[in-house]
Coordinates of all heavy atoms in Angstrom, one line a residue:
L1 N -11.8 -11.8 12.1 CA -12.2 -11.5 10.8 C -11.0 -11.1 9.9 O -11.1 -11.2 8.7 CB -13.2 -10.3 10.8 CG -14.6 -10.6 11.2 CD1 -15.5 -9.4 11.3 CD2 -15.2 -11.6 10.2
E2 N -9.9 -10.6 10.5 CA -8.8 -10.2 9.7 C -8.2 -11.4 9.0 O -7.6 -11.2 7.9 CB -7.7 -9.6 10.6 CG -8.1 -8.2 11.1 CD -7.1 -7.5 11.9 OE1 -5.9 -7.8 11.8 OE2 -7.5 -6.7 12.7
S3 N -8.4 -12.6 9.5 CA -7.9 -13.8 8.8 C -8.7 -14.0 7.5 O -8.3 -14.8 6.6 CB -8.0 -15.0 9.7 OG -9.3 -15.3 10.0
K4 N -9.8 -13.4 7.3 CA -10.6 -13.5 6.1 C -10.2 -12.6 4.9 O -10.6 -12.7 3.8 CB -12.1 -13.2 6.4 CG -12.8 -14.3 7.2 CD -14.2 -14.0 7.3 CE -14.9 -15.0 8.2 NZ -16.4 -14.8 8.2
M5 N -9.2 -11.7 5.2 CA -8.7 -10.8 4.2 C -8.0 -11.7 3.1 O -7.4 -12.7 3.4 CB -7.7 -9.8 4.8 CG -8.3 -8.9 5.9 SD -9.5 -7.7 5.2 CE -8.5 -6.3 5.2
R6 N -8.1 -11.2 1.9 CA -7.6 -12.0 0.8 C -6.5 -11.2 0.1 O -6.4 -10.0 0.2 CB -8.7 -12.2 -0.3 CG -9.9 -13.0 0.2 CD -9.4 -14.4 0.6 NE -10.6 -15.2 0.9 CZ -10.6 -16.1 1.9 NH1 -9.6 -16.2 2.7 NH2 -11.7 -16.8 2.1
S7 N -5.6 -12.0 -0.6 CA -4.4 -11.4 -1.2 C -4.6 -11.4 -2.7 O -5.1 -12.4 -3.3 CB -3.1 -12.1 -0.8 OG -2.6 -12.8 -1.9
T8 N -4.2 -10.3 -3.4 CA -4.3 -10.2 -4.9 C -3.4 -11.3 -5.5 O -3.8 -11.9 -6.5 CB -3.9 -8.8 -5.3 OG1 -4.7 -7.9 -4.7 CG2 -4.0 -8.7 -6.8
G9 N -2.2 -11.5 -5.0 CA -1.4 -12.6 -5.5 C -2.0 -13.9 -5.5 O -1.9 -14.7 -6.5
M10 N -2.6 -14.3 -4.4 CA -3.2 -15.6 -4.3 C -4.4 -15.7 -5.2 O -4.7 -16.7 -5.8 CB -3.7 -15.9 -2.8 CG -4.2 -17.3 -2.7 SD -3.2 -18.6 -3.2 CE -2.3 -19.0 -1.8
A11 N -5.1 -14.6 -5.4 CA -6.3 -14.6 -6.3 C -5.8 -14.9 -7.8 O -6.4 -15.6 -8.5 CB -7.0 -13.2 -6.3
Y12 N -4.6 -14.3 -8.1 CA -4.1 -14.6 -9.4 C -3.6 -16.0 -9.6 O -3.8 -16.7 -10.6 CB -2.9 -13.7 -9.7 CG -3.3 -12.3 -10.3 CD1 -3.0 -11.2 -9.6 CD2 -3.9 -12.2 -11.6 CE1 -3.4 -9.9 -10.2 CE2 -4.3 -11.0 -12.1 CZ -4.0 -9.9 -11.4 OH -4.4 -8.7 -11.9
V13 N -3.1 -16.6 -8.5 CA -2.7 -18.0 -8.5 C -3.9 -18.9 -8.7 O -3.9 -19.8 -9.5 CB -1.9 -18.4 -7.2 CG1 -1.8 -19.9 -7.1 CG2 -0.6 -17.7 -7.1
C14 N -5.0 -18.5 -8.0 CA -6.3 -19.3 -8.1 C -6.8 -19.1 -9.5 O -7.3 -20.1 -10.1 CB -7.3 -18.8 -7.1 SG -6.9 -19.2 -5.4
W15 N -6.7 -18.0 -10.1 CA -7.2 -17.7 -11.5 C -6.4 -18.6 -12.5 O -6.9 -19.2 -13.3 CB -7.0 -16.3 -11.9 CG -7.3 -16.0 -13.3 CD1 -8.5 -15.7 -13.9 CD2 -6.4 -15.9 -14.4 NE1 -8.4 -15.5 -15.2 CE2 -7.1 -15.7 -15.6 CE3 -5.0 -16.1 -14.5 CZ2 -6.4 -15.6 -16.8 CZ3 -4.4 -16.0 -15.7 CH2 -5.1 -15.7 -16.8
F16 N -5.1 -18.6 -12.3 CA -4.2 -19.3 -13.2 C -4.3 -20.8 -13.1 O -4.3 -21.5 -14.2 CB -2.7 -18.9 -13.0 CG -1.8 -19.5 -14.0 CD1 -1.7 -19.1 -15.3 CD2 -0.9 -20.5 -13.6 CE1 -0.8 -19.6 -16.2 CE2 0.0 -21.1 -14.5 CZ 0.0 -20.6 -15.8
I17 N -4.3 -21.3 -11.9 CA -4.3 -22.8 -11.8 C -5.7 -23.5 -12.0 O -5.7 -24.4 -12.8 CB -3.8 -23.2 -10.3 CG1 -2.3 -22.7 -10.2 CG2 -4.0 -24.6 -10.1 CD1 -1.7 -23.0 -8.9
L18 N -6.7 -23.0 -11.4 CA -8.0 -23.7 -11.6 C -9.1 -22.8 -12.0 O -10.2 -23.2 -12.2 CB -8.4 -24.4 -10.2 CG -7.5 -25.4 -9.7 CD1 -7.9 -25.9 -8.3 CD2 -7.5 -26.7 -10.6
G19 N -8.8 -21.5 -12.2 CA -9.9 -20.6 -12.5 C -10.9 -20.5 -11.3 O -12.1 -20.4 -11.6
I20 N -10.4 -20.5 -10.1 CA -11.3 -20.6 -8.9 C -11.2 -19.3 -8.1 O -11.5 -19.2 -6.9 CB -11.0 -21.8 -8.1 CG1 -12.1 -22.1 -7.1 CG2 -9.6 -21.7 -7.4 CD1 -12.0 -23.4 -6.4
H21 N -10.9 -18.2 -8.8 CA -10.7 -16.9 -8.1 C -12.0 -16.4 -7.6 O -12.0 -15.7 -6.5 CB -10.0 -15.9 -9.1 CG -10.7 -15.7 -10.4 ND1 -10.7 -16.7 -11.3 CD2 -11.4 -14.7 -10.9 CE1 -11.3 -16.3 -12.4 NE2 -11.8 -15.1 -12.2
Y22 N -13.1 -16.6 -8.2 CA -14.4 -16.1 -7.6 C -14.7 -16.9 -6.3 O -15.2 -16.4 -5.4 CB -15.5 -16.3 -8.6 CG -15.5 -15.2 -9.7 CD1 -15.1 -15.5 -11.0 CD2 -15.8 -13.9 -9.3 CE1 -15.0 -14.5 -11.9 CE2 -15.7 -12.9 -10.3 CZ -15.4 -13.2 -11.6 OH -15.3 -12.2 -12.5
G23 N -14.4 -18.2 -6.4 CA -14.6 -19.0 -5.1 C -13.7 -18.5 -4.0 O -14.1 -18.5 -2.9
Y24 N -12.5 -18.2 -4.3 CA -11.6 -17.6 -3.4 C -12.1 -16.4 -2.7 O -11.9 -16.1 -1.5 CB -10.2 -17.3 -4.0 CG -9.2 -16.7 -3.2 CD1 -8.6 -17.4 -2.1 CD2 -8.7 -15.4 -3.4 CE1 -7.6 -16.8 -1.3 CE2 -7.7 -14.8 -2.7 CZ -7.2 -15.5 -1.6 OH -6.2 -15.0 -0.8
L25 N -12.9 -15.6 -3.4 CA -13.5 -14.4 -2.9 C -15.0 -14.6 -2.4 O -15.7 -13.7 -2.0 CB -13.6 -13.3 -4.0 CG -12.2 -12.9 -4.5 CD1 -12.3 -11.9 -5.6 CD2 -11.4 -12.3 -3.3
G26 N -15.4 -15.9 -2.3 CA -16.6 -16.3 -1.7 C -17.8 -16.1 -2.6 O -19.0 -16.0 -2.2
K27 N -17.6 -15.9 -3.9 CA -18.7 -15.7 -4.9 C -18.9 -17.0 -5.7 O -18.6 -17.1 -6.8 CB -18.4 -14.5 -5.8 CG -18.3 -13.2 -5.0 CD -18.0 -12.1 -5.9 CE -17.9 -10.8 -5.1 NZ -17.8 -9.6 -5.9
W28 N -19.5 -18.0 -5.0 CA -19.7 -19.3 -5.6 C -20.6 -19.3 -6.8 O -20.5 -20.1 -7.7 CB -20.0 -20.3 -4.6 CG -18.8 -20.6 -3.8 CD1 -18.5 -20.1 -2.5 CD2 -17.6 -21.3 -4.2 NE1 -17.2 -20.5 -2.1 CE2 -16.7 -21.3 -3.1 CE3 -17.3 -22.0 -5.3 CZ2 -15.4 -21.9 -3.2 CZ3 -16.0 -22.7 -5.4 CH2 -15.1 -22.6 -4.3
G29 N -21.6 -18.5 -6.8 CA -22.6 -18.4 -7.9 C -21.8 -18.0 -9.2 O -22.0 -18.6 -10.3
L30 N -21.0 -16.9 -9.1 CA -20.2 -16.5 -10.2 C -19.2 -17.5 -10.6 O -18.9 -17.7 -11.8 CB -19.5 -15.2 -9.9 CG -20.3 -13.9 -10.1 CD1 -19.5 -12.7 -9.5 CD2 -20.7 -13.7 -11.5
Q31 N -18.7 -18.2 -9.6 CA -17.7 -19.3 -9.9 C -18.3 -20.4 -10.8 O -17.7 -20.8 -11.7 CB -17.1 -19.9 -8.6 CG -16.0 -20.8 -8.8 CD -14.8 -20.2 -9.5 OE1 -14.2 -19.3 -8.9 NE2 -14.4 -20.7 -10.7
I32 N -19.5 -20.8 -10.4 CA -20.1 -21.9 -11.2 C -20.4 -21.4 -12.6 O -20.1 -22.1 -13.6 CB -21.4 -22.3 -10.5 CG1 -21.2 -22.9 -9.1 CG2 -22.2 -23.3 -11.4 CD1 -20.4 -24.1 -9.1
A33 N -20.9 -20.1 -12.8 CA -21.1 -19.5 -14.1 C -19.8 -19.4 -14.9 O -19.8 -19.7 -16.1 CB -21.8 -18.2 -13.9
Y34 N -18.8 -19.1 -14.2 CA -17.4 -19.0 -14.9 C -17.0 -20.3 -15.4 O -16.6 -20.4 -16.6 CB -16.4 -18.4 -13.8 CG -15.1 -18.1 -14.4 CD1 -14.8 -16.9 -15.0 CD2 -14.1 -19.1 -14.3 CE1 -13.5 -16.7 -15.5 CE2 -12.8 -18.8 -14.8 CZ -12.5 -17.6 -15.4 OH -11.3 -17.3 -15.9
W35 N -17.2 -21.4 -14.6 CA -16.8 -22.7 -15.1 C -17.7 -23.2 -16.2 O -17.2 -23.8 -17.2 CB -16.8 -23.7 -13.9 CG -15.7 -23.6 -13.0 CD1 -14.4 -23.1 -13.3 CD2 -15.6 -24.0 -11.7 NE1 -13.6 -23.2 -12.2 CE2 -14.3 -23.8 -11.2 CE3 -16.6 -24.6 -10.8 CZ2 -14.0 -24.1 -9.9 CZ3 -16.2 -24.9 -9.5 CH2 -14.9 -24.6 -9.0
L36 N -19.0 -23.0 -16.1 CA -20.0 -23.5 -17.1 C -19.8 -22.8 -18.4 O -20.0 -23.4 -19.5 CB -21.4 -23.3 -16.6 CG -21.9 -24.2 -15.4 CD1 -23.3 -23.8 -15.0 CD2 -21.8 -25.6 -15.8
T37 N -19.3 -21.6 -18.4 CA -19.1 -20.9 -19.7 C -17.6 -20.9 -20.1 O -17.2 -20.3 -21.1 CB -19.5 -19.4 -19.6 OG1 -18.6 -18.7 -18.6 CG2 -20.9 -19.2 -19.2
C38 N -16.8 -21.7 -19.4 CA -15.4 -21.8 -19.7 C -14.7 -20.5 -19.7 O -14.0 -20.1 -20.6 CB -15.1 -22.6 -21.0 SG -15.6 -24.3 -21.0
G39 N -15.0 -19.7 -18.7 CA -14.5 -18.4 -18.5 C -15.0 -17.4 -19.6 O -14.2 -16.6 -20.2
G40 N -16.3 -17.6 -20.0 CA -16.8 -16.8 -21.0 C -16.1 -17.0 -22.3 O -15.8 -16.1 -23.1
L41 N -15.8 -18.3 -22.6 CA -15.0 -18.7 -23.8 C -13.7 -18.0 -23.9 O -13.2 -17.7 -24.9 CB -15.9 -18.5 -25.1 CG -17.2 -19.3 -25.1 CD1 -17.9 -18.9 -26.4 CD2 -16.9 -20.8 -25.1
G42 N -13.1 -17.7 -22.7 CA -11.8 -17.1 -22.6 C -11.9 -15.6 -22.5 O -10.9 -15.0 -22.0
I43 N -12.9 -15.0 -22.9 CA -13.0 -13.5 -22.9 C -13.1 -13.0 -21.5 O -12.4 -12.1 -21.0 CB -14.2 -13.0 -23.8 CG1 -13.9 -13.3 -25.2 CG2 -14.4 -11.5 -23.6 CD1 -15.1 -13.1 -26.1
W44 N -14.0 -13.6 -20.7 CA -14.2 -13.3 -19.3 C -12.9 -13.5 -18.5 O -12.5 -12.7 -17.7 CB -15.3 -14.2 -18.7 CG -15.9 -13.8 -17.4 CD1 -15.5 -12.9 -16.5 CD2 -16.9 -14.6 -16.7 NE1 -16.2 -12.9 -15.4 CE2 -17.1 -14.0 -15.5 CE3 -17.7 -15.7 -17.0 CZ2 -18.0 -14.4 -14.5 CZ3 -18.6 -16.1 -16.1 CH2 -18.8 -15.5 -14.9
A45 N -12.2 -14.6 -18.9 CA -11.0 -14.9 -18.2 C -9.9 -13.8 -18.4 O -9.2 -13.4 -17.5 CB -10.4 -16.3 -18.7
I46 N -9.8 -13.3 -19.6 CA -8.8 -12.3 -19.9 C -9.2 -11.0 -19.3 O -8.4 -10.3 -18.7 CB -8.7 -12.1 -21.5 CG1 -8.0 -13.3 -22.1 CG2 -7.9 -10.8 -21.8 CD1 -8.1 -13.4 -23.6
I47 N -10.5 -10.6 -19.3 CA -11.0 -9.4 -18.6 C -10.7 -9.5 -17.1 O -10.2 -8.5 -16.5 CB -12.5 -9.2 -18.9 CG1 -12.7 -8.8 -20.3 CG2 -13.0 -8.1 -18.0 CD1 -14.1 -8.8 -20.8
D48 N -10.8 -10.7 -16.5 CA -10.6 -10.8 -15.1 C -9.1 -10.6 -14.7 O -8.8 -10.2 -13.6 CB -11.0 -12.2 -14.6 CG -12.5 -12.3 -14.3 OD1 -13.1 -11.2 -14.2 OD2 -13.0 -13.4 -14.1
L49 N -8.2 -10.8 -15.7 CA -6.8 -10.4 -15.4 C -6.6 -9.0 -14.9 O -5.8 -8.7 -14.1 CB -5.9 -10.6 -16.7 CG -5.5 -12.0 -17.0 CD1 -4.8 -12.1 -18.3 CD2 -4.6 -12.5 -15.9
F50 N -7.4 -8.1 -15.5 CA -7.3 -6.7 -15.1 C -8.2 -6.3 -14.0 O -8.0 -5.3 -13.3 CB -7.7 -5.9 -16.4 CG -6.8 -6.1 -17.5 CD1 -7.2 -7.0 -18.5 CD2 -5.5 -5.6 -17.6 CE1 -6.3 -7.2 -19.6 CE2 -4.6 -5.8 -18.6 CZ -5.1 -6.6 -19.7
L51 N -9.3 -7.1 -13.7 CA -10.3 -6.8 -12.7 C -10.0 -7.4 -11.3 O -10.5 -7.0 -10.3 CB -11.7 -7.2 -13.1 CG -12.2 -6.5 -14.4 CD1 -13.6 -6.9 -14.7 CD2 -12.2 -4.9 -14.2
I52 N -9.1 -8.4 -11.3 CA -8.9 -9.1 -10.0 C -8.4 -8.2 -8.9 O -9.0 -8.3 -7.8 CB -7.9 -10.3 -10.2 CG1 -8.6 -11.5 -10.9 CG2 -7.3 -10.8 -8.9 CD1 -7.8 -12.6 -11.3
P53 N -7.5 -7.3 -9.1 CA -7.1 -6.4 -8.0 C -8.3 -5.6 -7.4 O -8.4 -5.5 -6.2 CB -6.1 -5.4 -8.6 CG -5.5 -6.2 -9.7 CD -6.6 -7.0 -10.3
G54 N -9.1 -5.1 -8.2 CA -10.3 -4.3 -7.7 C -11.3 -5.2 -7.0 O -11.9 -4.8 -6.0
K55 N -11.5 -6.4 -7.5 CA -12.4 -7.4 -6.8 C -11.8 -7.8 -5.4 O -12.6 -7.9 -4.5 CB -12.6 -8.6 -7.7 CG -13.3 -8.4 -9.0 CD -13.5 -9.6 -9.8 CE -14.2 -9.3 -11.1 NZ -15.5 -8.8 -11.0
V56 N -10.5 -8.0 -5.3 CA -9.9 -8.3 -4.0 C -10.0 -7.1 -3.1 O -10.4 -7.3 -1.9 CB -8.5 -8.8 -4.2 CG1 -7.8 -8.9 -2.9 CG2 -8.4 -10.1 -5.0
D57 N -9.8 -5.9 -3.6 CA -9.9 -4.7 -2.8 C -11.3 -4.5 -2.3 O -11.5 -4.2 -1.1 CB -9.4 -3.5 -3.6 CG -7.9 -3.4 -3.8 OD1 -7.2 -4.1 -3.1 OD2 -7.5 -2.6 -4.7
A58 N -12.3 -4.7 -3.1 CA -13.7 -4.6 -2.7 C -14.0 -5.6 -1.6 O -14.7 -5.3 -0.6 CB -14.6 -4.8 -3.9
Y59 N -13.6 -6.9 -1.8 CA -13.8 -7.9 -0.8 C -13.2 -7.5 0.5 O -13.8 -7.6 1.6 CB -13.2 -9.2 -1.3 CG -13.4 -10.4 -0.3 CD1 -14.5 -11.1 -0.3 CD2 -12.4 -10.6 0.6 CE1 -14.7 -12.2 0.6 CE2 -12.5 -11.7 1.5 CZ -13.7 -12.4 1.5 OH -13.8 -13.5 2.4
N60 N -11.9 -7.1 0.5 CA -11.2 -6.7 1.7 C -11.8 -5.5 2.4 O -11.9 -5.4 3.6 CB -9.7 -6.5 1.4 CG -9.0 -7.8 1.2 OD1 -9.4 -8.8 1.6 ND2 -7.9 -7.7 0.5
L61 N -12.4 -4.6 1.6 CA -13.0 -3.4 2.2 C -14.3 -3.8 2.9 O -14.6 -3.3 4.0 CB -13.4 -2.4 1.1 CG -14.1 -1.1 1.5 CD1 -13.2 -0.3 2.5 CD2 -14.5 -0.3 0.3
E62 N -15.0 -4.8 2.4 CA -16.2 -5.3 3.1 C -15.8 -6.0 4.4 O -16.5 -5.8 5.4 CB -17.0 -6.3 2.2 CG -18.3 -6.7 2.8 CD -19.3 -5.6 3.1 OE1 -19.3 -4.6 2.3 OE2 -20.0 -5.8 4.0
I63 N -14.7 -6.7 4.4 CA -14.3 -7.3 5.6 C -13.9 -6.3 6.6 O -14.2 -6.4 7.8 CB -13.1 -8.3 5.3 CG1 -13.6 -9.5 4.5 CG2 -12.5 -8.8 6.6 CD1 -14.6 -10.3 5.0
A64 N -13.1 -5.2 6.2 CA -12.7 -4.2 7.1 C -13.9 -3.5 7.7 O -13.9 -3.1 8.9 CB -11.9 -3.2 6.3
R65 N -15.0 -3.3 6.9 CA -16.2 -2.7 7.4 C -16.8 -3.5 8.5 O -17.3 -3.0 9.5 CB -17.2 -2.4 6.3 CG -16.8 -1.2 5.4 CD -17.8 -1.0 4.4 NE -17.4 0.2 3.6 CZ -17.8 0.3 2.3 NH1 -18.5 -0.6 1.7 NH2 -17.4 1.4 1.6
E66 N -16.8 -4.8 8.3 CA -17.4 -5.8 9.3 C -16.6 -5.7 10.6 O -17.1 -5.7 11.7 CB -17.4 -7.2 8.8 CG -18.4 -7.5 7.7 CD -18.4 -8.9 7.3 OE1 -18.1 -9.8 8.1 OE2 -18.6 -9.1 6.1
I67 N -15.2 -5.6 10.5 CA -14.4 -5.5 11.6 C -14.7 -4.2 12.4 O -14.8 -4.2 13.6 CB -12.9 -5.6 11.2 CG1 -12.5 -7.0 10.7 CG2 -12.0 -5.2 12.4 CD1 -11.2 -7.1 10.1
D68 N -14.8 -3.1 11.6 CA -15.1 -1.8 12.2 C -16.4 -1.8 12.9 O -16.6 -1.3 14.0 CB -15.0 -0.7 11.1 CG -15.2 0.7 11.7 OD1 -14.5 1.0 12.7 OD2 -16.0 1.5 11.2
H69 N -17.4 -2.4 12.3 CA -18.7 -2.5 12.9 C -18.7 -3.3 14.2 O -19.3 -2.9 15.2 CB -19.7 -3.2 11.9 CG -21.1 -3.3 12.4 ND1 -21.9 -2.3 12.7 CD2 -21.8 -4.5 12.8 CE1 -23.1 -2.7 13.2 NE2 -23.0 -4.0 13.2
L70 N -18.0 -4.4 14.2 CA -17.9 -5.2 15.4 C -17.2 -4.4 16.5 O -17.6 -4.5 17.7 CB -17.1 -6.5 15.2 CG -17.9 -7.6 14.4 CD1 -16.9 -8.7 14.1 CD2 -19.1 -8.1 15.2
E71 N -16.1 -3.7 16.2 CA -15.4 -2.9 17.2 C -16.3 -1.8 17.7 O -16.2 -1.5 18.9 CB -14.1 -2.3 16.6 CG -13.1 -3.4 16.4 CD -11.8 -2.8 15.7 OE1 -11.7 -1.6 15.5 OE2 -10.9 -3.6 15.5
Q72 N -17.1 -1.2 16.9 CA -18.0 -0.1 17.3 C -19.1 -0.6 18.2 O -19.5 0.0 19.2 CB -18.6 0.7 16.2 CG -17.6 1.5 15.5 CD -18.2 2.3 14.3 OE1 -19.4 2.2 14.0 NE2 -17.4 3.1 13.6
S73 N -19.6 -1.8 17.9 CA -20.6 -2.4 18.8 C -20.1 -2.8 20.1 O -20.9 -2.9 21.1 CB -21.3 -3.6 18.0 OG -20.3 -4.7 17.9
K74 N -18.8 -3.1 20.3 CA -18.3 -3.4 21.6 C -18.2 -2.2 22.5 O -18.3 -2.3 23.7 CB -16.8 -3.9 21.4 CG -16.8 -5.3 20.9 CD -15.3 -5.8 20.8 CE -15.2 -7.2 20.1 NZ -13.8 -7.6 20.0
N75 N -18.1 -1.0 21.9 CA -18.0 0.2 22.7 C -19.3 0.7 23.1 O -20.2 0.9 23.3 CB -17.2 1.3 21.9 CG -15.8 0.9 21.7 OD1 -15.2 0.2 22.5 ND2 -15.3 1.4 20.6

């Protein structure tokens, strides 16, 4: 599961190149909405510049919880 952890830098690269940062975080429903609205006509895209670190941290926290849960179930 540790290989599923995501990097903030890569999320920014995904945002900049293709606007696929939600897909990178596994949120394909939001990704489709993002594309269909052209990044909320640019407003959503600019807001995401500031929110990406928190979104990546939340994603990684969920992965860490899954890892912890698996380790506890082994004991």
Side-chain angles (χ1 to χ4, degrees):
L1 282 174
E2 289 182 26
S3 65
K4 291 185 178 184
M5 300 290 260
R6 301 293 189 223
S7 113
T8 301
M10 184 55 93
Y12 275 116
V13 169
C14 290
W15 173 87
F16 183 73
I17 294 178
L18 297 172
I20 196 166
H21 52 292
Y22 285 108
Y24 177 65
L25 297 174
K27 297 182 179 188
W28 287 101
L30 278 173
Q31 186 62 61
I32 300 296
Y34 185 86
W35 283 336
L36 289 175
T37 64
C38 296
L41 299 176
I43 296 169
W44 189 1
I46 291 170
I47 291 170
D48 276 349
L49 276 175
F50 301 99
L51 297 180
I52 285 175
K55 291 180 185 298
V56 172
D57 289 344
Y59 178 88
N60 287 338
L61 181 61
E62 184 61 33
I63 296 298
R65 286 182 179 152
E66 286 181 37
I67 292 170
D68 186 48
H69 178 70
L70 286 174
E71 288 178 1
Q72 287 181 0
S73 66
K74 287 181 183 178
N75 294 330

